């Protein structure tokens, strides 16, 4: 087994009196793709945000490679450079061209010279299939193209790990496929990835492991076929049945009495 690229030990996070993460233990190996699924409010985003210290954990430890992020003496900016993050909202700079969106963080944060930053930007735009949009502005791109630019921008920083928080859930359905295809290629290239998603087809086909969270804990984890195809826990089954067939879940929630009345 390769060394864990991410290691989370007994992670807790509270917001005031709201105990959101209640002891998460998770290891992600180098090159592994882990999809995190679970109902709204279960703590998926909070977990991702604790893994790059956008949120400060209340307890427990987080490691990236051999570096402990939760060590008070850590150079957090240095560690963060090793972690790329892609959000539901793409957060591109609207007043900068696509290329400038990719070169600015490289120059500011990594101190790369203009030529190097431009070369790396071009390489990564090609990687997401958007070379022809190098000079375009974000507002002229579709949501799916903007998200692919956001992925290229994260990749241009040379991260060891990529975190994705529902990268396709703000997109029109017909634009989702192109973004997932880019993520699939990234996985095939051996990137270590942690992906919060509701795309069960993607999770089944691309994830090495699926983690189901509810109420701030990991309820179950395993291969996609196991967790999605043959869930052991009632909470997982209930979540998946709602996701795969929302109409069924509504019917399920009506009591037999109500169903009878509706039919009468
Ligand atoms: N910055 C914050 N301040 C206060 N409470 C927060 C903050 N961020 C998250 N929470 C709370 O933590 C809980 C978990 O939120 P989180 O966003 O992690 O859930 P999620 O699983 O990502 O949900 P969703 O599927 O809706 O994105 C919620 O009760 C939320 O209100
Ligand atoms: Mg979330």
């Amino acid at each position: 087994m390769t060394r864990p690229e991410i290691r989370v030990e007994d992670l807790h996070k509270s917001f005031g009196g709201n105990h959101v993460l209640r002891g998460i233990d998770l290891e992600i190996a180098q090159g592994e793709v882990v999809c995190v699924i679970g109902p709204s409010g279960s703590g998926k985003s909070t977990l991702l945000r604790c893994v790059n210290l956008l949120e400060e954990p209340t307890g427990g430890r987080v490691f990236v490679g051999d570096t402990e992020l939760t060590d008070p003496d850590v150079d957090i900016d240095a560690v963060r450079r090793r972690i790329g993050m892609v959000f539901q909202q793409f957060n591109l700079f609207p007043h900068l061209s696509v290329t400038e969106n990719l070169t600015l963080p490289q120059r500011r944060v990594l101190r790369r010279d203009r030529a190097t930053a431009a070369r790396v930007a071009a390489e990564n735009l090609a990687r997401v299939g958007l070379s022809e949009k190098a000079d375009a502005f974000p507002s002229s791109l579709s949501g799916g193209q903007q998200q692919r630019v956001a992925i290229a921008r994260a990749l241009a920083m040379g991260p060891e790990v990529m975190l994705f928080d529902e990268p396709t859930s703000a997109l029109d359905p017909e634009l989702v496929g192109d973004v997932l295809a880019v993520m699939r290629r990234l996985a095939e290239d051996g990137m270590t990835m942690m992906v919060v998603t509701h795309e069960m087809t993607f999770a089944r086909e691309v994830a090495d492991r699926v983690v189901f969270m509810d109420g701030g804990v990991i309820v179950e984890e395993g291969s996609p076929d196991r967790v999605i195809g043959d869930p052991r826990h009632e909470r997982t089954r209930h979540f998946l049945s709602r996701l795969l067939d929302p109409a069924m879940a509504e019917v399920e929630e009506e009591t037999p009495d109500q169903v009878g009345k509706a039919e009468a």
Side-chain angles (χ1 to χ4, degrees):
M1 153 124 184
T2 45
R3 75 177 166 102
E5 184 66 56
I6 297 179
R7 186 147 54 93
V8 174
E9 287 179 4
D10 195 28
L11 182 68
H12 288 259
K13 176 66 184 176
S14 297
F15 295 101
N18 188 5
H19 195 174
V20 172
L21 297 181
R22 297 166 170 262
I24 302 278
D25 290 287
L26 183 64
E27 280 191 5
I28 301 182
Q30 222 165 37
E32 197 182 13
V33 178
V34 172
C35 283
V36 180
I37 62 173
S40 181
S42 57
K44 306 178 300 292
S45 296
T46 304
L47 173 60
L48 270 199
R49 293 168 61 79
C50 283
V51 168
N52 67 357
L53 243 54
L54 285 176
E55 295 289 356
E56 195 182 340
T58 322
R61 305 205 292 173
V62 178
F63 294 84
V64 172
D66 296 326
T67 311
E68 184 186 344
L69 267 74
T70 34
D71 179 342
D73 295 328
V74 79
D75 178 352
I76 186 59
D77 291 330
V79 190
R80 259 200 210 119
R81 276 172 223 153
R82 296 162 58 187
I83 307 171
M85 179 109 188
V86 174
F87 303 89
Q88 185 177 332
Q89 298 303 336
F90 334 117
N91 303 323
L92 298 175
F93 294 114
H95 59 291
L96 297 180
S97 73
V98 164
T99 292
E100 288 163 345
N101 265 280
L102 267 69
T103 53
L104 183 77
Q106 295 183 62
R107 301 201 61 206
R108 290 255 171 97
V109 179
L110 303 179
R111 305 261 160 234
R112 283 184 183 149
D113 62 65
R114 193 178 296 274
T116 306
R119 178 177 52 74
V120 173
E123 283 166 9
N124 283 289
L125 281 181
R127 217 167 157 186
V128 301
L130 286 176
S131 299
E132 78 280 13
K133 299 292 184 187
D135 299 321
F137 282 82
S139 58
S140 71
L141 304 181
S142 73
Q145 290 170 333
Q146 290 186 54
Q147 188 59 299
R148 283 148 66 198
V149 171
I151 294 172
R153 177 180 57 179
L155 291 174
M157 305 300 278
E160 293 164 35
V161 178
M162 287 282 283
L163 310 178
F164 294 87
D165 193 354
E166 300 200 36
T168 59
S169 53
L171 301 177
D172 293 336
E174 71 273 20
L175 302 176
V176 168
D178 289 342
V179 172
L180 292 180
V182 164
M183 293 171 63
R184 179 189 300 262
R185 265 203 310 281
L186 203 54
E188 286 164 1
D189 288 347
M191 179 61 79
T192 308
M193 294 164 60
M194 192 168 167
V195 185
V196 174
T197 186
H198 293 296
E199 296 289 340
M200 289 304 127
T201 308
F202 177 83
R204 269 198 114 122
E205 291 174 8
V206 181
D208 297 300
R209 191 148 44 104
V210 170
V211 168
F212 173 70
M213 281 181 72
D214 195 8
V217 298
I218 293 177
V219 174
E220 63 179 305
E221 62 179 298
S223 72
D225 280 348
R226 230 284 287 128
V227 176
I228 300 172
D230 182 23
R232 303 267 153 89
H233 288 261
E234 180 51 38
R235 282 150 90 183
T236 319
R237 280 198 286 271
H238 185 247
F239 170 75
L240 288 169
S241 70
R242 288 184 137 220
L243 199 63
L244 300 176
D245 192 350
M248 268 312 287
E250 272 170 38
V251 172
E252 197 181 283
E253 277 175 9
E254 289 178 36
T255 63
D257 192 37
Q258 284 171 321
V259 173
K261 275 182 199 153
E263 278 165 1

